[in-house]
Amino acid sequence: MSYDSPKSFRPIILLNILGKLIEKVISDRLQFHAISNNFIHQCQLGSLKFKATLDTGITLTHFIHTEWVRNLLTSILAFYISQFFPSLNHHLLPYILRKASFDSKVVHFLLNYLVSRKTQYFWKNFSSPLFNVNIGVGQGSVLSPILSTLYLASVLHILEKHLKSLKFPISMLFFVNNSLFHAQSKFFSFLNSLLFYSYNLASILFWKFGLTVKHSKT
């Protein structure tokens, strides 16, 4: 399509607007269904309706003040998941959606939407061959927040189960691809041990789901 005339932009703009509106509707319905089924973990904040990143600070402040009243010390370990949005496995996501009790038609739609995607690069007169894009979700897409939240929710449910079986008094807070482990005790040495083992457990679990913790930002 030529870009010489302003008229040539109209079909493209219209298509983009309609596509984004449809994605927005799908995103809202996915979030509503996931919350109704209690699949999204309660510690997940940010990029969701009624769960802003600001709530992370409020929750953390509440934890700390509560522990001061009980004369307890607080330790917090913050870490970062590297290349989070580009690392989501398209083939694993449908299994997670089924686990979240989504209808098979929804799972099939998203399977076709994500799997076997290709991309091509253009620069002036150069055009690259087609490349397979079998992982990741578009960071600018309105579907990305809910899809990444669902992907991470499954990891968090497993992680919480492991921590409970070990009887670790660890609280978790996750906002998009940033994470916090929070522990309280009367002894810093005990707190550091709890955080050390919890962090290593989380790193291994994330790796199994194709996600990498960036240790230099911990």
Side-chain angles (χ1 to χ4, degrees), residues 67 70 72-75 169 171 182-186 190-191 194:
E67 286 143 21
R70 297 168 59 194
L72 294 175
L73 301 171
T74 298
S75 281
S171 300
H182 160 262
Q184 64 280 341
S185 176
K186 290 187 177 181
F190 179 64
L191 290 175
L194 287 177

Side-chain angles (χ1 to χ4, degrees), residues 140-198:
S141 169
V142 293
L143 280 174
S144 297
I146 183 58
L147 291 178
S148 57
T149 298
L150 290 169
Y151 194 95
L152 191 57
S154 55
V155 186
L156 298 182
H157 284 297
I158 297 171
L159 179 59
E160 182 183 49
K161 187 176 180 180
H162 280 305
L163 292 175
K164 282 185 176 179
S165 67
L166 293 169
K167 297 182 179 180
F168 281 6
I170 294 286
S171 300
M172 301 184 297
L173 284 176
F174 284 76
F175 42 107
V176 195
N177 57 329
N178 298 281
S179 315
L180 289 174
F181 278 154
H182 160 262
Q184 64 280 341
S185 176
K186 290 187 177 181
F187 306 100
F188 270 123
S189 58
F190 179 64
L191 290 175
N192 292 337
S193 298
L194 287 177
L195 294 173
F196 175 79
Y197 286 111
S198 300

Side-chain angles (χ1 to χ4, degrees), residues 35-159:
I35 292 174
S36 299
N37 288 343
N38 294 318
F39 187 77
I40 294 177
H41 198 282
Q42 60 183 358
C43 76
Q44 288 181 274
L45 304 170
S47 299
L48 296 170
K49 285 189 175 181
F50 314 115
K51 288 192 173 187
T53 306
L54 182 64
D55 295 333
T56 307
I58 297 171
T59 305
L60 195 56
T61 303
H62 171 72
F63 283 158
I64 294 171
H65 277 270
T66 302
E67 286 143 21
W68 282 350
V69 172
R70 297 168 59 194
N71 293 318
L72 294 175
L73 301 171
T74 298
S75 281
I76 296 166
L77 181 68
F79 56 97
Y80 172 82
I81 301 174
S82 180
Q83 293 294 309
F84 178 55
F85 289 99
S87 300
L88 304 192
N89 189 318
H90 291 176
H91 297 282
L92 180 58
L93 191 55
Y95 292 100
I96 294 172
L97 294 173
R98 292 190 186 100
K99 190 71 175 177
S101 302
F102 281 99
D103 187 272
S104 59
K105 292 180 181 178
V106 176
V107 177
H108 186 67
F109 164 76
L110 287 169
L111 184 64
N112 288 326
Y113 179 78
L114 291 171
V115 175
S116 300
R117 302 185 77 175
K118 297 180 183 292
T119 190
Q120 191 174 22
Y121 299 95
F122 295 91
W123 178 256
K124 296 183 178 179
N125 296 324
F126 169 79
S127 61
S128 72
L130 289 170
F131 294 98
N132 290 322
V133 186
N134 293 322
I135 57 172
V137 292
Q139 195 163 349
S141 169
V142 293
L143 280 174
S144 297
I146 183 58
L147 291 178
S148 57
T149 298
L150 290 169
Y151 194 95
L152 191 57
S154 55
V155 186
L156 298 182
H157 284 297
I158 297 171
L159 179 59

